[in-house]
Amino acid sequence: SPDAGVAVQTQLLQERVRMGEGVTLRAQIDNRTTAGQPMTLARIGIPGGLVFQTWQLKELRDKGLIDFYETRPREVILYWRALPPSAHKQVDLNLLAAVPGTYEAPASSAYLYYTDEDKHWAPAVAVTVAE
């Protein structure tokens, strides 16, 4: 939506990884406006074959880099209570390669909690997990 006040970009730092190794999924969330934004969500798609590290999500919350998180089998949802004007948030998720194969993540999106009709979408990322 052109009315989305926030934007998201995602990138896997490696597109090929061996089973048992880690790979970083970098997510950047931007406040596209010069006004503060309330309750912001970023739904980060995780490719199949990779798993997020729950301990890392707790650490991100404890360090104040995010305010809250939720997990689903192929998605990590990051929450911020507020984003300052023109804010740029970068979150690196350390994923573990668990199942061999070639996978594509669900598309990632960012939006404000109370205006979920105005979303910004990022293209899906893909990875190959080798044995």
Side-chain angles (χ1 to χ4, degrees):
S1 169
D3 295 330
V6 293
V8 63
Q9 297 175 12
T10 57
Q11 173 190 14
L12 273 175
L13 299 188
Q14 293 174 262
E15 294 179 357
R16 186 169 181 80
V17 65
R18 295 186 60 77
M19 191 169 70
E21 293 180 349
V23 62
T24 300
L25 175 64
R26 179 163 289 156
Q28 181 172 318
I29 296 82
D30 297 313
N31 179 350
R32 299 166 68 177
T33 73
T34 57
Q37 297 292 354
M39 188 58 89
T40 301
L41 282 80
R43 299 177 77 109
I44 309 301
I46 307 295
L50 302 179
V51 292
F52 54 83
Q53 311 289 323
T54 304
W55 63 267
Q56 185 205 13
L57 296 171
K58 289 178 184 176
E59 188 176 89
L60 290 170
R61 183 195 60 208
D62 293 345
K63 288 182 176 180
L65 298 174
I66 60 173
D67 290 316
F68 188 71
Y69 67 89
E70 282 184 75
T71 61
R72 301 218 167 113
R74 300 208 35 218
E75 181 177 63
V76 172
I77 307 166
L78 307 174
Y79 293 80
W80 290 269
R81 285 187 180 93
L83 284 183
S86 304
H88 303 285
K89 300 284 186 178
Q90 180 175 302
V91 178
D92 286 347
L93 298 177
N94 299 317
L95 307 175
L96 183 64
V99 181
T102 300
Y103 304 95
E104 186 173 281
S108 297
S109 63
Y111 56 94
L112 303 180
Y113 186 82
Y114 295 105
T115 56
D116 63 347
E117 65 275 8
D118 294 324
K119 292 183 181 174
H120 180 267
W121 292 89
V125 296
V127 68
T128 297
V129 177
E131 285 189 56

